[in-house]
Amino acid sequence: MTQSFQRYSEKWEEELRQLVKNLKNSRKQTATAEENYTRLLRVVEKVIAHLTEYYRVKSIQTHKNVLSVMPLPSSTSIERSLYWMNGWRPTDAGRIIYAEAIRLENKNDILHRLYTRANLGNLSPLQFRSIAFTHCEADRTQDRISADLFTWQKDVSKAVINMEEGVDFDNKMLERLVDLQQSADELRVKTIEGMVEALTPPQAVDFLLIVTQLHLGLHVFGLSHDLHLTN
């Protein structure tokens, strides 16, 4: 099953690359504003569905063998060094929006402002409040999961020491780890959906482009880095 999930992950990533191309192409206005809005919404929904499906399949694999997803063999050393619960930190979603909004707000070029008027450089106060709420919720939950993971690691260390005294490392330890991994992945999906819900379709396209390209770009950079180390 581990190899099967590995193959699924590789195929999923290839499909994600195609969706990223669709996201980029969707930014080109070729119809009326209403038609563009509908088209962008459809592309955003496909990306969200693709992300959600990955975590659904990963959840099944996590319950079968949690250690097989921690992390995937295809992960590079750079990716593993940046992982939180074997993936991206949910709080990074909010930071991406804040950083991009500030970057675009600092642009003084009038043409740049006209070009970006519908994206992350033009968030309303209501949108900022909604994004801030989702970000704070993610931050609290992320901290709780991190604290629970630290407790789990301490308990595992105690169990390993006690093994010499005839105490078995029981399945309850792994069940706790399954719950932690499940909670982390559910938080990732919930955070992405919360952020996208606060954005217009054009803004959501820009946000998802950054999120997906961060994932894909980091993997490519990691492969290059690992290859350089072996030469």
Side-chain angles (χ1 to χ4, degrees):
M1 181 64 185
T2 301
Q3 291 182 344
S4 175
F5 181 66
Q6 173 69 27
R7 288 193 296 271
Y8 168 80
S9 297
E10 292 171 354
K11 180 182 178 182
W12 178 86
E13 190 166 286
E14 284 301 312
E15 293 172 350
L16 180 62
R17 293 181 189 279
Q18 181 58 50
L19 286 172
V20 168
K21 292 180 181 179
N22 294 343
L23 282 171
K24 291 179 179 178
N25 292 334
S26 71
R27 298 174 72 183
K28 302 173 183 176
Q29 293 189 354
T30 57
T32 65
E34 184 176 348
E35 289 172 333
N36 276 320
Y37 188 95
T38 301
R39 179 169 51 84
L40 292 176
L41 182 61
R42 189 161 49 244
V43 173
V44 167
E45 288 174 343
K46 285 183 179 180
V47 175
I48 294 297
H50 190 63
L51 293 171
T52 302
E53 176 63 11
Y54 172 78
Y55 287 110
R56 185 191 70 79
V57 175
K58 184 182 178 184
S59 174
I60 295 173
Q61 177 64 13
T62 298
H63 280 85
K64 290 184 177 181
N65 182 3
V66 64
L67 298 180
S68 68
V69 299
M70 307 186 74
L72 288 174
S74 60
S75 301
T76 64
S77 57
I78 290 291
E79 288 175 294
R80 288 191 290 270
S81 71
L82 297 174
Y83 276 166
W84 173 83
M85 292 301 298
N86 309 295
W88 53 276
R89 292 177 180 273
T91 50
D92 287 345
R95 293 191 182 100
I96 285 173
I97 292 180
Y98 295 148
E100 188 69 2
I102 292 173
R103 183 182 72 83
L104 294 174
E105 273 299 305
N106 288 336
K107 295 288 186 179
N108 293 318
D109 191 322
I110 186 62
L111 292 178
H112 181 91
R113 285 186 174 277
L114 287 172
Y115 175 74
T116 61
R117 67 182 185 276
N119 65 20
L120 299 178
N122 191 29
L123 296 174
S124 70
L126 181 61
Q127 285 179 305
F128 263 117
R129 284 196 295 272
S130 179
I131 289 167
F133 176 82
T134 300
H135 179 73
C136 289
E137 286 289 303
D139 193 38
R140 281 193 291 268
T141 306
Q142 183 175 294
D143 284 347
R144 177 184 58 77
I145 294 173
S146 295
D148 290 345
L149 177 62
F150 180 69
T151 299
W152 180 85
Q153 291 169 333
K154 289 196 300 181
D155 291 344
V156 168
S157 297
K158 292 178 183 177
V160 170
I161 293 173
N162 291 333
M163 277 182 183
E164 298 178 0
E165 302 173 5
V167 178
D168 292 331
F169 182 84
D170 58 31
N171 287 332
K172 289 184 179 179
M173 288 290 187
L174 289 180
E175 289 174 2
R176 286 170 58 190
L177 184 59
V178 168
D179 290 340
L180 287 171
Q181 184 63 59
Q182 187 75 19
S183 295
D185 288 336
E186 287 175 355
L187 179 60
R188 291 183 176 106
V189 174
K190 181 180 179 181
T191 303
I192 287 289
E193 290 179 338
M195 294 297 179
V196 169
E197 186 176 346
L199 302 171
T200 64
Q203 292 167 339
V205 165
D206 284 358
F207 170 65
L208 290 174
L209 268 176
I210 297 171
V211 171
T212 54
Q213 289 183 323
L214 177 64
H215 168 78
L216 296 172
L218 182 60
H219 184 63
V220 171
F221 176 75
L223 289 174
S224 177
H225 178 267
D226 288 354
L227 181 62
H228 177 72
L229 291 178
T230 59
N231 293 333

